[in-house]
Amino acid sequence: MEETRTKTFPVKPKLKTKPRTQQQTPESKYWSSFKTQQIPKQFPIHSITYSPTPPHSFVAANSTSLHIFNSKTLSETSQITSFTDTVACSSFRNDGRLLAASDLSGLIQVYDFNERRRLRRLKSHTRPVRFVHYPRHDKLHLISGGDDALVKYWDVAEATQIHQFNGHKDYVRCGDSSPVNSDTFVTGSYDHIVKLWDVRVRDSSKSAMDFNHGCPVEDVVFLPSGGMIATAGGNSVKLWDIIGGGKLLYSMESHNKTVTSICVGKIGKDSGDESNQYRILSVGLDGYFKVFDYGSMKVTHSMRFPAPLVSLSYSPDCSTRVIGASNGMIYASKRKVKVDENEKQIVASEGSSIWRIRPLESTEKKVLKTTDFRYFQRGQGEKPSEGDYLVMRPKKVKLAAHDKLLNKFRHGDALVCVLEGKNPGHVVAVMEELVSRKKLLRCVSDLDLEKLELLLAFLHKYCTVPKYSSLLMGLANKVIEMRAEDIRASETLKKHIRNLKSTVEAEIRIQQSLQEIQGIISPLLRIAGRR
């Protein structure tokens, strides 16, 4: 038998429970790779905006000032403090040179972002201005909306209002411009309606298209194609088809409370199937950050934060993500980006020209000699290329003591050995192997009183564990039936049997209580499901 045996394998348990947490998907690992840094402030962060040009600085609106941060170091570089009331929103021009911001006094101000100098003051709204936005392909105009239910279209150079749209019946809270047409934009209001406007149509109350979200609209964004929009309000994010006449495509309702902000983010992978895919990112008052794949219509990642979230933004270079909370905390997350070898050499050369004290050492590889230890280790770290034929060395199987005993067909010794090891998974695995060999009951009948005491102690401890109970409960009955005379003759074994009996009775009482609770809850769940 030993000569014909070619392979031996260690005994492993077959009774495995499913893990509580599901295995992470590649996309979930990608979003989890962002390392979060907390930046505390005193007031809620109502708005976060990224510059569209490198190095993609971001601006956070906090109380009566705008805080400007470096997206590489996540450190604050400067502030703009010339506001008399709380800043509600900010927006960059498509070249990143101008920054527009609005506050609750109804004033809109335009700044030179590089010099932090105010250029224009736009005053026409009579109530707080909650939304201001530069069209994506237009450097001359500006869109704004506020609590006066008005949407205004501005000429920034002349600091004058060109047109006013009067279609909304409640506070205008959000908006976005089309990525393919600078003349169209959307606005969302607390009247539950999202309106698509065209500045070429001069009828102030006539919108090109209306979408009823069903709840007060907190945010709205265009998707990159320009033919779809996403709206956020209540606990849902909805997708609408503009080209199809305003058809509702999908409603994502994974948040438990109001969704406060959404944006579109791109998967920042350099290659692969996901390199050019976009996702809808959303945050809500339930403290959750969620990633929604609108290609497959499912949530691909979810993350919980310890405070209600009110604002969100994602950098154009896919390297940083910033979330603002209602308690004033900024959760800035940065992802490590791989640097090319050429860039490393450039950075190294630039750094060495400033900090180098001694000349660089020669980069030529040393010729290995037989006296070097590395001579005998050469080639072990090399990775094979596509044309190489790889010969794998078979891995040696390490067998435990009970596996070696099983290979020698010493079944009783294997059972005693694994019982002394006190590893329940290994014990059950050996028992399953003995069952398959039809030797378990024979081993139990051959155990002396001392070893039988070990077996009864194991059964008392693990017979009610769900993943082992199906095997151990049946074995316990057989042990008591086969060794009844020995148990009656020993006080120690009687004690183990009493303990085993009390454990089983306690488990039965627990199961009965759970069934009573289930009988109470199940009718309530059926009633709730009908509603």
Side-chain angles (χ1 to χ4, degrees), residues 270-296:
D270 299 329
S271 61
D273 297 335
E274 297 179 345
S275 59
N276 293 318
Q277 294 188 15
Y278 291 87
R279 302 289 185 265
I280 297 176
L281 315 181
S282 64
V283 294
L285 296 182
D286 55 1
Y288 275 98
F289 160 75
K290 293 183 181 291
V291 180
F292 179 68
D293 182 2
Y294 58 88
S296 59

mmCIF file of all heavy atoms in Angstrom, residues 270-296:
data_model
loop_
_atom_site.group_PDB
_atom_site.id
_atom_site.type_symbol
_atom_site.label_atom_id
_atom_site.label_comp_id
_atom_site.label_asym_id
_atom_site.label_seq_id
_atom_site.Cartn_x
_atom_site.Cartn_y
_atom_site.Cartn_z
ATOM 1 N N ASP A 270 -5.162 52.672 -14.836
ATOM 2 C CA ASP A 270 -4.467 52.990 -16.082
ATOM 3 C C ASP A 270 -4.811 52.048 -17.223
ATOM 4 O O ASP A 270 -4.703 52.386 -18.382
ATOM 5 C CB ASP A 270 -2.955 52.964 -15.847
ATOM 6 C CG ASP A 270 -2.547 53.999 -14.797
ATOM 7 O OD1 ASP A 270 -3.227 55.028 -14.718
ATOM 8 O OD2 ASP A 270 -1.567 53.755 -14.078
ATOM 9 N N SER A 271 -5.223 50.828 -16.889
ATOM 10 C CA SER A 271 -5.523 49.850 -17.931
ATOM 11 C C SER A 271 -6.584 48.905 -17.423
ATOM 12 O O SER A 271 -6.968 48.937 -16.259
ATOM 13 C CB SER A 271 -4.258 49.068 -18.308
ATOM 14 O OG SER A 271 -3.757 48.370 -17.178
ATOM 15 N N GLY A 272 -7.074 48.053 -18.304
ATOM 16 C CA GLY A 272 -8.088 47.083 -17.921
ATOM 17 C C GLY A 272 -9.473 47.517 -18.352
ATOM 18 O O GLY A 272 -9.677 48.580 -18.959
ATOM 19 N N ASP A 273 -10.450 46.667 -18.023
ATOM 20 C CA ASP A 273 -11.819 46.931 -18.455
ATOM 21 C C ASP A 273 -12.439 48.111 -17.724
ATOM 22 O O ASP A 273 -13.382 48.720 -18.223
ATOM 23 C CB ASP A 273 -12.687 45.684 -18.219
ATOM 24 C CG ASP A 273 -12.208 44.510 -19.064
ATOM 25 O OD1 ASP A 273 -11.580 44.775 -20.100
ATOM 26 O OD2 ASP A 273 -12.462 43.349 -18.679
ATOM 27 N N GLU A 274 -11.935 48.444 -16.534
ATOM 28 C CA GLU A 274 -12.553 49.492 -15.732
ATOM 29 C C GLU A 274 -11.842 50.833 -15.854
ATOM 30 O O GLU A 274 -12.132 51.759 -15.113
ATOM 31 C CB GLU A 274 -12.568 49.063 -14.257
ATOM 32 C CG GLU A 274 -13.402 47.805 -13.996
ATOM 33 C CD GLU A 274 -13.368 47.407 -12.542
ATOM 34 O OE1 GLU A 274 -12.488 47.925 -11.828
ATOM 35 O OE2 GLU A 274 -14.203 46.604 -12.120
ATOM 36 N N SER A 275 -10.903 50.963 -16.797
ATOM 37 C CA SER A 275 -10.091 52.175 -16.858
ATOM 38 C C SER A 275 -10.887 53.385 -17.322
ATOM 39 O O SER A 275 -10.534 54.500 -16.981
ATOM 40 C CB SER A 275 -8.889 51.941 -17.784
ATOM 41 O OG SER A 275 -9.337 51.589 -19.090
ATOM 42 N N ASN A 276 -11.930 53.186 -18.105
ATOM 43 C CA ASN A 276 -12.692 54.318 -18.634
ATOM 44 C C ASN A 276 -14.143 54.290 -18.173
ATOM 45 O O ASN A 276 -15.031 54.752 -18.888
ATOM 46 C CB ASN A 276 -12.640 54.312 -20.166
ATOM 47 C CG ASN A 276 -11.245 54.588 -20.685
ATOM 48 O OD1 ASN A 276 -10.558 55.461 -20.160
ATOM 49 N ND2 ASN A 276 -10.825 53.863 -21.700
ATOM 50 N N GLN A 277 -14.399 53.769 -16.997
ATOM 51 C CA GLN A 277 -15.752 53.685 -16.491
ATOM 52 C C GLN A 277 -15.997 54.757 -15.431
ATOM 53 O O GLN A 277 -15.102 55.106 -14.666
ATOM 54 C CB GLN A 277 -16.012 52.300 -15.900
ATOM 55 C CG GLN A 277 -15.975 51.186 -16.936
ATOM 56 C CD GLN A 277 -16.436 49.859 -16.359
ATOM 57 O OE1 GLN A 277 -17.028 49.808 -15.300
ATOM 58 N NE2 GLN A 277 -16.166 48.789 -17.076
ATOM 59 N N TYR A 278 -17.225 55.247 -15.409
ATOM 60 C CA TYR A 278 -17.610 56.290 -14.464
ATOM 61 C C TYR A 278 -18.581 55.720 -13.442
ATOM 62 O O TYR A 278 -19.315 54.772 -13.701
ATOM 63 C CB TYR A 278 -18.250 57.467 -15.194
ATOM 64 C CG TYR A 278 -17.272 58.259 -16.046
ATOM 65 C CD1 TYR A 278 -16.992 57.889 -17.360
ATOM 66 C CD2 TYR A 278 -16.625 59.378 -15.522
ATOM 67 C CE1 TYR A 278 -16.097 58.608 -18.131
ATOM 68 C CE2 TYR A 278 -15.729 60.107 -16.286
ATOM 69 C CZ TYR A 278 -15.472 59.717 -17.594
ATOM 70 O OH TYR A 278 -14.580 60.440 -18.337
ATOM 71 N N ARG A 279 -18.594 56.331 -12.264
ATOM 72 C CA ARG A 279 -19.476 55.932 -11.184
ATOM 73 C C ARG A 279 -20.161 57.173 -10.609
ATOM 74 O O ARG A 279 -19.632 58.282 -10.693
ATOM 75 C CB ARG A 279 -18.701 55.228 -10.063
ATOM 76 C CG ARG A 279 -17.936 53.991 -10.508
ATOM 77 C CD ARG A 279 -18.865 52.842 -10.835
ATOM 78 N NE ARG A 279 -18.121 51.626 -11.144
ATOM 79 C CZ ARG A 279 -17.811 51.238 -12.349
ATOM 80 N NH1 ARG A 279 -18.165 51.967 -13.404
ATOM 81 N NH2 ARG A 279 -17.144 50.106 -12.544
ATOM 82 N N ILE A 280 -21.335 56.965 -10.027
ATOM 83 C CA ILE A 280 -22.029 58.028 -9.306
ATOM 84 C C ILE A 280 -21.700 57.864 -7.827
ATOM 85 O O ILE A 280 -21.968 56.814 -7.232
ATOM 86 C CB ILE A 280 -23.547 57.966 -9.540
ATOM 87 C CG1 ILE A 280 -23.866 58.202 -11.019
ATOM 88 C CG2 ILE A 280 -24.261 59.000 -8.677
ATOM 89 C CD1 ILE A 280 -25.333 58.067 -11.357
ATOM 90 N N LEU A 281 -21.112 58.879 -7.240
ATOM 91 C CA LEU A 281 -20.770 58.875 -5.818
ATOM 92 C C LEU A 281 -21.824 59.674 -5.062
ATOM 93 O O LEU A 281 -22.230 60.750 -5.517
ATOM 94 C CB LEU A 281 -19.387 59.480 -5.586
ATOM 95 C CG LEU A 281 -18.272 59.028 -6.550
ATOM 96 C CD1 LEU A 281 -16.959 59.705 -6.178
ATOM 97 C CD2 LEU A 281 -18.112 57.526 -6.533
ATOM 98 N N SER A 282 -22.268 59.175 -3.922
ATOM 99 C CA SER A 282 -23.322 59.862 -3.158
ATOM 100 C C SER A 282 -23.016 59.789 -1.677
ATOM 101 O O SER A 282 -22.399 58.841 -1.188
ATOM 102 C CB SER A 282 -24.695 59.219 -3.444
ATOM 103 O OG SER A 282 -24.718 57.874 -2.993
ATOM 104 N N VAL A 283 -23.448 60.823 -0.956
ATOM 105 C CA VAL A 283 -23.352 60.858 0.505
ATOM 106 C C VAL A 283 -24.703 61.308 1.053
ATOM 107 O O VAL A 283 -25.492 61.966 0.356
ATOM 108 C CB VAL A 283 -22.238 61.802 1.001
ATOM 109 C CG1 VAL A 283 -20.877 61.300 0.595
ATOM 110 C CG2 VAL A 283 -22.453 63.225 0.478
ATOM 111 N N GLY A 284 -24.980 60.954 2.315
ATOM 112 C CA GLY A 284 -26.274 61.297 2.904
ATOM 113 C C GLY A 284 -26.170 61.556 4.391
ATOM 114 O O GLY A 284 -25.110 61.407 5.017
ATOM 115 N N LEU A 285 -27.298 61.934 4.953
ATOM 116 C CA LEU A 285 -27.361 62.224 6.389
ATOM 117 C C LEU A 285 -27.234 60.965 7.232
ATOM 118 O O LEU A 285 -27.077 61.057 8.458
ATOM 119 C CB LEU A 285 -28.680 62.934 6.715
ATOM 120 C CG LEU A 285 -28.869 64.314 6.070
ATOM 121 C CD1 LEU A 285 -30.193 64.922 6.502
ATOM 122 C CD2 LEU A 285 -27.721 65.254 6.444
ATOM 123 N N ASP A 286 -27.329 59.780 6.625
ATOM 124 C CA ASP A 286 -27.122 58.539 7.373
ATOM 125 C C ASP A 286 -25.643 58.239 7.588
ATOM 126 O O ASP A 286 -25.300 57.232 8.213
ATOM 127 C CB ASP A 286 -27.787 57.363 6.662
ATOM 128 C CG ASP A 286 -27.330 57.224 5.212
ATOM 129 O OD1 ASP A 286 -26.493 58.035 4.780
ATOM 130 O OD2 ASP A 286 -27.824 56.333 4.514
ATOM 131 N N GLY A 287 -24.755 59.116 7.079
ATOM 132 C CA GLY A 287 -23.318 58.935 7.267
ATOM 133 C C GLY A 287 -22.674 57.992 6.277
ATOM 134 O O GLY A 287 -21.488 57.678 6.420
ATOM 135 N N TYR A 288 -23.407 57.552 5.268
ATOM 136 C CA TYR A 288 -22.869 56.580 4.316
ATOM 137 C C TYR A 288 -22.359 57.278 3.060
ATOM 138 O O TYR A 288 -22.975 58.237 2.567
ATOM 139 C CB TYR A 288 -23.926 55.557 3.922
ATOM 140 C CG TYR A 288 -24.046 54.402 4.883
ATOM 141 C CD1 TYR A 288 -25.036 54.387 5.854
ATOM 142 C CD2 TYR A 288 -23.163 53.337 4.836
ATOM 143 C CE1 TYR A 288 -25.142 53.332 6.745
ATOM 144 C CE2 TYR A 288 -23.263 52.279 5.713
ATOM 145 C CZ TYR A 288 -24.257 52.284 6.664
ATOM 146 O OH TYR A 288 -24.351 51.230 7.545
ATOM 147 N N PHE A 289 -21.239 56.776 2.564
ATOM 148 C CA PHE A 289 -20.713 57.131 1.240
ATOM 149 C C PHE A 289 -20.885 55.903 0.357
ATOM 150 O O PHE A 289 -20.449 54.805 0.718
ATOM 151 C CB PHE A 289 -19.242 57.532 1.344
ATOM 152 C CG PHE A 289 -18.499 57.462 0.038
ATOM 153 C CD1 PHE A 289 -18.691 58.424 -0.943
ATOM 154 C CD2 PHE A 289 -17.606 56.425 -0.227
ATOM 155 C CE1 PHE A 289 -18.002 58.352 -2.155
ATOM 156 C CE2 PHE A 289 -16.921 56.343 -1.421
ATOM 157 C CZ PHE A 289 -17.129 57.322 -2.383
ATOM 158 N N LYS A 290 -21.546 56.066 -0.790
ATOM 159 C CA LYS A 290 -21.842 54.932 -1.659
ATOM 160 C C LYS A 290 -21.376 55.204 -3.088
ATOM 161 O O LYS A 290 -21.399 56.347 -3.552
ATOM 162 C CB LYS A 290 -23.343 54.617 -1.642
ATOM 163 C CG LYS A 290 -23.831 54.097 -0.282
ATOM 164 C CD LYS A 290 -25.281 53.726 -0.291
ATOM 165 C CE LYS A 290 -25.732 53.236 1.071
ATOM 166 N NZ LYS A 290 -25.146 51.926 1.422
ATOM 167 N N VAL A 291 -20.981 54.116 -3.739
ATOM 168 C CA VAL A 291 -20.547 54.167 -5.138
ATOM 169 C C VAL A 291 -21.541 53.353 -5.952
ATOM 170 O O VAL A 291 -21.799 52.184 -5.651
ATOM 171 C CB VAL A 291 -19.127 53.592 -5.290
ATOM 172 C CG1 VAL A 291 -18.704 53.645 -6.752
ATOM 173 C CG2 VAL A 291 -18.142 54.351 -4.425
ATOM 174 N N PHE A 292 -22.123 53.991 -6.984
ATOM 175 C CA PHE A 292 -23.167 53.365 -7.792
ATOM 176 C C PHE A 292 -22.682 53.222 -9.224
ATOM 177 O O PHE A 292 -22.286 54.211 -9.862
ATOM 178 C CB PHE A 292 -24.444 54.209 -7.739
ATOM 179 C CG PHE A 292 -25.575 53.663 -8.557
ATOM 180 C CD1 PHE A 292 -26.200 52.482 -8.206
ATOM 181 C CD2 PHE A 292 -26.023 54.329 -9.690
ATOM 182 C CE1 PHE A 292 -27.239 51.969 -8.968
ATOM 183 C CE2 PHE A 292 -27.060 53.837 -10.446
ATOM 184 C CZ PHE A 292 -27.676 52.650 -10.076
ATOM 185 N N ASP A 293 -22.673 51.997 -9.719
ATOM 186 C CA ASP A 293 -22.317 51.706 -11.105
ATOM 187 C C ASP A 293 -23.596 51.761 -11.938
ATOM 188 O O ASP A 293 -24.417 50.848 -11.885
ATOM 189 C CB ASP A 293 -21.665 50.331 -11.191
ATOM 190 C CG ASP A 293 -21.234 49.978 -12.610
ATOM 191 O OD1 ASP A 293 -21.420 50.820 -13.510
ATOM 192 O OD2 ASP A 293 -20.710 48.865 -12.814
ATOM 193 N N TYR A 294 -23.763 52.833 -12.709
ATOM 194 C CA TYR A 294 -24.997 52.975 -13.472
ATOM 195 C C TYR A 294 -24.957 52.177 -14.774
ATOM 196 O O TYR A 294 -25.923 52.178 -15.534
ATOM 197 C CB TYR A 294 -25.307 54.448 -13.760
ATOM 198 C CG TYR A 294 -24.244 55.216 -14.520
ATOM 199 C CD1 TYR A 294 -24.228 55.233 -15.907
ATOM 200 C CD2 TYR A 294 -23.279 55.953 -13.860
ATOM 201 C CE1 TYR A 294 -23.275 55.943 -16.603
ATOM 202 C CE2 TYR A 294 -22.316 56.672 -14.538
ATOM 203 C CZ TYR A 294 -22.317 56.665 -15.909
ATOM 204 O OH TYR A 294 -21.365 57.369 -16.602
ATOM 205 N N GLY A 295 -23.836 51.482 -15.029
ATOM 206 C CA GLY A 295 -23.798 50.556 -16.161
ATOM 207 C C GLY A 295 -24.477 49.241 -15.824
ATOM 208 O O GLY A 295 -25.261 48.706 -16.608
ATOM 209 N N SER A 296 -24.192 48.725 -14.623
ATOM 210 C CA SER A 296 -24.815 47.481 -14.168
ATOM 211 C C SER A 296 -25.956 47.719 -13.199
ATOM 212 O O SER A 296 -26.579 46.758 -12.729
ATOM 213 C CB SER A 296 -23.760 46.596 -13.498
ATOM 214 O OG SER A 296 -23.173 47.270 -12.405
#
